[in-house]
C-alpha cells in the first residue's frame, strides 16, 4: 500500500499510521478492489495497479448552505448547533439504504450517486 509516497507493508500498518479509518471497515471497503475500479473510503480514493494499492486524498466535496461554505460535515454541524454524530449516523444509514435525501431536524440533505452531500435546504 502506498500513500503520499510512503509504502506500508500491510493495510493495518497503513490504517494505523495515517488515520485512514477503522482497519476492519477499510479492509471490507477494499474487498473486491480491481484494476480500473476504484474504491472510496473515508475521504480517500483507492486504486489497484500492478498488485499495489495506492491511496490518494479524494476531492472532498464541500457543503454550501446560505452562501457559506463548510469543508466538513462537522464544521456544518458545529456552525448550526447540531449533533454531528447524529447527522453522520443518519447519512451513513441513508447511504447504505441507497437513499438520495436525508431529513435531519429542519434540514434536508441531498446526496449524489456516490453518497456525497450535493445540497442542504431548510
Amino acid at each position: 500500500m502506498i500513500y503520499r509516497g510512503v509504502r506500508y507493508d500491510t493495510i493495518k500498518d497503513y490504517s494505523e499510521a495515517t488515520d485512514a479509518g477503522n482497519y476492519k471497515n477499510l479492509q471490507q471497503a477494499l474487498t473486491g478492489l480491481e484494476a480500473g475500479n476504484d474504491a472510496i473510503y473515508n475521504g480517500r480514493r483507492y486504486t489497484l495497479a500492478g498488485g499495489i494499492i495506492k491511496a490518494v486524498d479524494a476531492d472532498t466535496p464541500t457543503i454550501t448552505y446560505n452562501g457559506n461554505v463548510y469543508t466538513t460535515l462537522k464544521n456544518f454541524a458545529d456552525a448550526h448547533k447540531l449533533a454531528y454524530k447524529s447527522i453522520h449516523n443518519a447519512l451513513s444509514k441513508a447511504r447504505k439504504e441507497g437513499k438520495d435525501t436525508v431529513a435531519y431536524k429542519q434540514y434536508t440533505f441531498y446526496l449524489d450517486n456516490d453518497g456525497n452531500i450535493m445540497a442542504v435546504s431548510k
Side-chain angles (χ1 to χ4, degrees):
M1 166 136 319
I2 297 175
Y3 177 65
R4 293 186 176 173
V6 178
R7 184 182 182 103
Y8 298 91
D9 292 330
T10 66
I11 293 172
K12 187 171 185 174
D13 291 344
Y14 157 78
S15 178
E16 292 172 352
T18 66
D19 295 323
N22 179 283
Y23 162 68
K24 291 188 184 225
N25 292 343
L26 173 60
Q27 188 175 34
Q28 183 177 2
L30 297 179
T31 299
L33 184 65
E34 298 174 352
N37 203 11
D38 295 355
I40 295 179
Y41 176 76
N42 206 19
R44 294 184 186 164
R45 179 179 304 278
Y46 296 88
T47 57
L48 181 64
I52 297 172
I53 298 172
K54 294 182 181 177
V56 296
D57 295 317
D59 294 333
T60 305
T62 57
I63 300 169
T64 303
Y65 178 73
N66 279 349
N68 295 310
V69 176
Y70 304 92
T71 55
T72 66
L73 181 60
K74 181 157 180 30
N75 290 348
F76 175 83
D78 290 347
H80 297 278
K81 297 179 178 32
L82 300 170
Y84 163 73
K85 193 69 172 169
S86 296
I87 297 173
H88 174 76
N89 290 343
L91 288 167
S92 293
K93 182 179 178 189
R95 289 175 180 128
K96 289 176 187 172
E97 294 173 355
K99 294 183 180 178
D100 59 1
T101 60
V102 176
Y104 180 79
K105 298 209 176 198
Q106 68 268 31
Y107 298 94
T108 302
F109 296 84
Y110 299 91
L111 308 176
D112 65 14
N113 292 336
D114 294 325
N116 297 314
I117 299 169
M118 292 188 316
V120 180
S121 65
K122 193 169 184 180

